[in-house]
Amino acid sequence: MDCHRKTFLLKFLCVAFLLNYSNVGFVDAATNIGLNYGLLGDNLPPPSEVINLYKSLSVTNIRIFDTTTDVLNAFRGNRDIGVMVGVKNQDLEALSVSEDAVNTWFVTNIEPYLADVNITFIAVGNEVIPGEIGSYVLPVMKSLTNIVKSRSLPILISTTVAMTNLGQSYPPSAGDFMPQAREQLTPVLKFLSQTNTPILVNIYPYFAYAADPINIQLDYAIFNTNKVVVQDGPLGYTNMFDVIFDAFVWAMEKEGVKDLPMVVTETGWPSAGNGNLTTPDIASIYNTNFVKHVESGKGTPKRPKSGISGFLFATFNENQKPAGTEQNFGLYNPTDMKPIYKMF
C-alpha cells in the first residue's frame, strides 16, 4: 500500500460511526464519515481488495445498496466495519404483502451473515418516497423491525429518502413536504420516532448549484466561505448543505416529528461530466470541507448541538451508471484503486 493512497482518506476516515444499541437507539457522534460502495461498473476490483482498501484507510462504516452475496461474504470476519445493507426497490411490493414474506427475505439475505458480518442498518428502499412504490416502505419497515426485535438483534431499520420530498425548501424555516411526501413519508417518520431510529437522507448541493450556477455562489455550495449567505430569522447560513438539511428538519417539525436523528447516506460532488462545474479541484474542496464540517461537531444552525453523521458518495467511479456526472462521483479509480484527486 503506497503512502499516497493510505494518507488520502486516513485522516478523516479513522473515526468511528458510533451506534449505541443498549437502548435500541442512535448516538450521534461528532465525527462520523463512511463510504458508499456501489457496484454499477464492469471494471471494479474484487470485493476482497476493496475491503483491504477500507481497512488500510481505517474506514469503519460502509453502505451497500442491496445484499450482494459476494460482497457480504467478503465482509465475513471484518466486524470492525459496520455495513448498511438495503432492500431493493423492486422487491418492496412483494415484501409488503406479509411479514412471512419479509421473514423469508431476512432468512435468505441477512441471517447467513449475522455471525461474522457487522450489519448495522437495513435501508428499506432507496429514494422511493414519494412515488408509486413509496407506500410499500412502511409495511416492510414494520415487519423487519418486528423480526430484529424478536431476535434481539442490534440492527436498525430505516429508509433512504431524497430531498425531492420537499415542496418548499427556501428559506429553511419554510421547509415543507410536498403532498405525496406528506402522505407517504410522514407515517414513516412517526414510526422512526417511536423506534428512535434515524431517517436516512441523501443531500446533494451539487444538483441545486448545477441547476442555477449563475445565481448560486460556488463557494456557498462547496462550504468554501464563512460569510453568511442566507439569513433566516436569527439563523445565519454559510453553506447550502446546512440550508437543505435544516429545511428537512423544519418540514419534519411541521408534521409533528421533532428531534428525529438524520443520517446523511449520500453526499458528494462529481469530478467530471458537466464542464467546469465538475472538476477534480471542486470535488476535492466539497468533500474535504464536508468532512471538516462533520468533524467540527457543530451541526447545523437549526441543530447546533447535534453533530452530523454521513457517508460520502462514492468509493469508485462506476461506468455502468448513466453517462455524465453519474459516472464521476467516485473518490477512486476502479482499475488501479488510486485516488482521483487529493484531499486536504
Side-chain angles (χ1 to χ4, degrees), residues 6 17 32 37 60 93 100-101 109 111 117 148 172 182 203 214 224-225 228 265 270 288 301 304 324 335:
K6 186 174 181 64
F17 184 85
N32 298 309
Y37 176 13
T60 56
E93 182 175 6
D100 286 343
N109 294 283
E111 191 171 88
V117 178
V148 297
R182 189 173 295 113
I203 298 179
I214 294 177
N224 209 36
T225 179
V228 171
T265 33
T288 296
T335 52

Short mmCIF file of all heavy atoms in Angstrom, two decimals, residues 6 17 32 37 60 93 100-101 109 111 117 148 172 182 203 214 224-225 228 265 270 288 301 304 324 335:
data_model
loop_
_atom_site.label_atom_id
_atom_site.label_comp_id
_atom_site.label_asym_id
_atom_site.label_seq_id
_atom_site.Cartn_x
_atom_site.Cartn_y
_atom_site.Cartn_z
N LYS A 6 -2.68 5.61 1.19
CA LYS A 6 -3.02 5.40 2.60
C LYS A 6 -3.39 6.69 3.30
O LYS A 6 -4.29 6.72 4.13
CB LYS A 6 -1.86 4.73 3.32
CG LYS A 6 -2.17 4.34 4.75
CD LYS A 6 -1.04 3.55 5.35
CE LYS A 6 -1.32 3.14 6.78
NZ LYS A 6 -2.45 2.23 6.91
N PHE A 17 -18.11 5.47 13.45
CA PHE A 17 -19.53 5.80 13.31
C PHE A 17 -20.23 5.10 14.45
O PHE A 17 -20.49 3.92 14.41
CB PHE A 17 -20.02 5.29 11.95
CG PHE A 17 -21.40 5.62 11.60
CD1 PHE A 17 -21.71 6.83 11.01
CD2 PHE A 17 -22.42 4.71 11.82
CE1 PHE A 17 -23.00 7.12 10.65
CE2 PHE A 17 -23.72 4.99 11.44
CZ PHE A 17 -24.00 6.20 10.87
N ASN A 32 -18.36 11.50 12.12
CA ASN A 32 -18.80 10.23 11.56
C ASN A 32 -18.81 10.30 10.05
O ASN A 32 -19.64 10.98 9.47
CB ASN A 32 -20.23 9.92 12.03
CG ASN A 32 -20.32 9.76 13.53
OD1 ASN A 32 -19.56 9.03 14.12
ND2 ASN A 32 -21.25 10.46 14.14
N TYR A 37 -20.44 2.07 -1.22
CA TYR A 37 -19.76 1.08 -2.06
C TYR A 37 -20.75 0.60 -3.10
O TYR A 37 -21.54 -0.29 -2.85
CB TYR A 37 -19.25 -0.06 -1.17
CG TYR A 37 -18.59 -1.23 -1.87
CD1 TYR A 37 -18.20 -1.18 -3.20
CD2 TYR A 37 -18.34 -2.40 -1.16
CE1 TYR A 37 -17.57 -2.25 -3.81
CE2 TYR A 37 -17.72 -3.50 -1.77
CZ TYR A 37 -17.35 -3.41 -3.09
OH TYR A 37 -16.73 -4.50 -3.69
N THR A 60 -14.58 2.58 8.89
CA THR A 60 -15.34 1.74 9.82
C THR A 60 -16.82 1.63 9.48
O THR A 60 -17.56 0.94 10.19
CB THR A 60 -15.20 2.28 11.26
OG1 THR A 60 -15.63 3.65 11.29
CG2 THR A 60 -13.77 2.18 11.74
N GLU A 93 -42.76 -4.28 -3.25
CA GLU A 93 -44.18 -4.60 -3.40
C GLU A 93 -44.47 -6.01 -2.91
O GLU A 93 -45.43 -6.22 -2.14
CB GLU A 93 -44.61 -4.45 -4.86
CG GLU A 93 -46.09 -4.73 -5.07
CD GLU A 93 -46.54 -4.47 -6.49
OE1 GLU A 93 -45.67 -4.19 -7.36
OE2 GLU A 93 -47.76 -4.55 -6.75
N ASP A 100 -44.53 -12.73 6.77
CA ASP A 100 -43.92 -14.00 6.36
C ASP A 100 -43.00 -13.81 5.16
O ASP A 100 -41.92 -14.39 5.09
CB ASP A 100 -45.00 -15.03 6.04
CG ASP A 100 -45.69 -15.59 7.27
OD1 ASP A 100 -45.13 -15.43 8.37
OD2 ASP A 100 -46.79 -16.15 7.13
N ALA A 101 -43.45 -12.99 4.21
CA ALA A 101 -42.62 -12.72 3.05
C ALA A 101 -41.33 -12.00 3.45
O ALA A 101 -40.24 -12.32 2.95
CB ALA A 101 -43.40 -11.87 2.04
N ASN A 109 -31.34 -13.41 3.11
CA ASN A 109 -30.39 -12.35 2.78
C ASN A 109 -29.61 -11.79 3.96
O ASN A 109 -28.57 -11.15 3.75
CB ASN A 109 -31.14 -11.21 2.10
CG ASN A 109 -31.70 -11.59 0.75
OD1 ASN A 109 -30.98 -11.67 -0.23
ND2 ASN A 109 -32.99 -11.87 0.71
N GLU A 111 -29.76 -13.43 7.62
CA GLU A 111 -29.40 -14.43 8.62
C GLU A 111 -28.08 -15.14 8.37
O GLU A 111 -27.31 -15.37 9.31
CB GLU A 111 -30.53 -15.45 8.76
CG GLU A 111 -30.38 -16.37 9.95
CD GLU A 111 -31.62 -17.22 10.16
OE1 GLU A 111 -31.70 -18.30 9.55
OE2 GLU A 111 -32.52 -16.77 10.90
N VAL A 117 -20.63 -10.84 10.08
CA VAL A 117 -20.68 -9.56 9.39
C VAL A 117 -21.43 -8.58 10.29
O VAL A 117 -22.50 -8.89 10.80
CB VAL A 117 -21.39 -9.66 8.02
CG1 VAL A 117 -21.46 -8.29 7.35
CG2 VAL A 117 -20.66 -10.65 7.11
N VAL A 148 -36.22 -8.11 13.80
CA VAL A 148 -34.95 -7.89 14.51
C VAL A 148 -35.19 -7.77 16.01
O VAL A 148 -34.36 -8.19 16.83
CB VAL A 148 -34.19 -6.67 13.96
CG1 VAL A 148 -33.81 -6.88 12.51
CG2 VAL A 148 -34.98 -5.38 14.13
N PRO A 172 -34.89 27.96 4.93
CA PRO A 172 -35.08 26.68 5.63
C PRO A 172 -36.31 26.62 6.51
O PRO A 172 -36.99 25.59 6.57
CB PRO A 172 -33.79 26.56 6.45
CG PRO A 172 -32.78 27.36 5.72
CD PRO A 172 -33.52 28.50 5.09
N ARG A 182 -45.94 14.06 2.12
CA ARG A 182 -46.64 14.13 3.41
C ARG A 182 -47.46 12.86 3.64
O ARG A 182 -47.50 12.32 4.75
CB ARG A 182 -47.54 15.37 3.42
CG ARG A 182 -48.15 15.67 4.78
CD ARG A 182 -48.89 16.99 4.77
NE ARG A 182 -47.99 18.11 4.56
CZ ARG A 182 -47.97 18.88 3.49
NH1 ARG A 182 -48.81 18.63 2.49
NH2 ARG A 182 -47.13 19.86 3.38
N ILE A 203 -28.30 14.16 0.42
CA ILE A 203 -28.25 15.62 0.24
C ILE A 203 -27.12 15.97 -0.71
O ILE A 203 -25.96 15.68 -0.44
CB ILE A 203 -28.05 16.34 1.59
CG1 ILE A 203 -29.23 16.06 2.54
CG2 ILE A 203 -27.87 17.84 1.38
CD1 ILE A 203 -29.09 16.70 3.90
N ILE A 214 -25.53 30.51 -12.15
CA ILE A 214 -25.38 31.97 -12.26
C ILE A 214 -25.78 32.64 -10.95
O ILE A 214 -25.11 33.58 -10.49
CB ILE A 214 -26.22 32.51 -13.44
CG1 ILE A 214 -25.66 31.98 -14.76
CG2 ILE A 214 -26.23 34.04 -13.43
CD1 ILE A 214 -26.46 32.40 -15.98
N ASN A 224 -17.14 26.78 1.14
CA ASN A 224 -15.85 27.45 0.99
C ASN A 224 -15.90 28.92 1.36
O ASN A 224 -15.06 29.71 0.92
CB ASN A 224 -15.35 27.30 -0.45
CG ASN A 224 -13.83 27.29 -0.53
OD1 ASN A 224 -13.17 26.76 0.35
ND2 ASN A 224 -13.30 27.87 -1.59
N THR A 225 -16.88 29.30 2.18
CA THR A 225 -16.94 30.68 2.67
C THR A 225 -17.47 30.68 4.09
O THR A 225 -18.26 29.81 4.47
CB THR A 225 -17.85 31.55 1.77
OG1 THR A 225 -17.89 32.88 2.31
CG2 THR A 225 -19.27 31.00 1.70
N VAL A 228 -22.07 34.75 5.86
CA VAL A 228 -23.48 34.36 5.89
C VAL A 228 -24.12 34.75 4.56
O VAL A 228 -24.11 35.91 4.16
CB VAL A 228 -24.22 35.05 7.06
CG1 VAL A 228 -25.72 34.80 6.95
CG2 VAL A 228 -23.69 34.51 8.39
N THR A 265 -26.92 9.61 4.12
CA THR A 265 -26.43 8.41 3.48
C THR A 265 -25.68 8.68 2.19
O THR A 265 -24.91 7.83 1.73
CB THR A 265 -27.60 7.43 3.19
OG1 THR A 265 -28.78 8.16 2.90
CG2 THR A 265 -27.85 6.53 4.38
N PRO A 270 -19.38 15.47 -8.21
CA PRO A 270 -18.70 14.78 -9.31
C PRO A 270 -17.45 15.53 -9.76
O PRO A 270 -17.41 16.75 -9.74
CB PRO A 270 -19.76 14.74 -10.42
CG PRO A 270 -20.65 15.91 -10.12
CD PRO A 270 -20.67 16.05 -8.63
N THR A 288 -13.71 17.58 1.01
CA THR A 288 -12.83 17.94 2.14
C THR A 288 -13.58 18.81 3.14
O THR A 288 -13.54 18.57 4.35
CB THR A 288 -11.59 18.68 1.64
OG1 THR A 288 -10.81 17.82 0.81
CG2 THR A 288 -10.73 19.15 2.81
N PRO A 301 -27.22 25.25 11.84
CA PRO A 301 -27.81 26.33 12.64
C PRO A 301 -29.08 25.92 13.38
O PRO A 301 -29.31 26.36 14.51
CB PRO A 301 -28.10 27.41 11.59
CG PRO A 301 -27.02 27.21 10.57
CD PRO A 301 -26.85 25.72 10.48
N PRO A 304 -27.61 23.00 16.32
CA PRO A 304 -26.20 23.29 16.56
C PRO A 304 -25.52 22.33 17.53
O PRO A 304 -24.29 22.24 17.55
CB PRO A 304 -26.22 24.71 17.13
CG PRO A 304 -27.58 24.84 17.76
CD PRO A 304 -28.49 24.05 16.87
N GLY A 324 -22.12 10.74 -17.99
CA GLY A 324 -22.07 12.10 -17.46
C GLY A 324 -21.64 12.12 -16.02
O GLY A 324 -20.80 11.32 -15.59
N THR A 335 -9.86 0.86 -11.65
CA THR A 335 -8.89 -0.01 -12.30
C THR A 335 -7.60 -0.16 -11.51
O THR A 335 -7.00 -1.24 -11.49
CB THR A 335 -8.58 0.49 -13.71
OG1 THR A 335 -8.21 1.87 -13.64
CG2 THR A 335 -9.81 0.35 -14.61
#
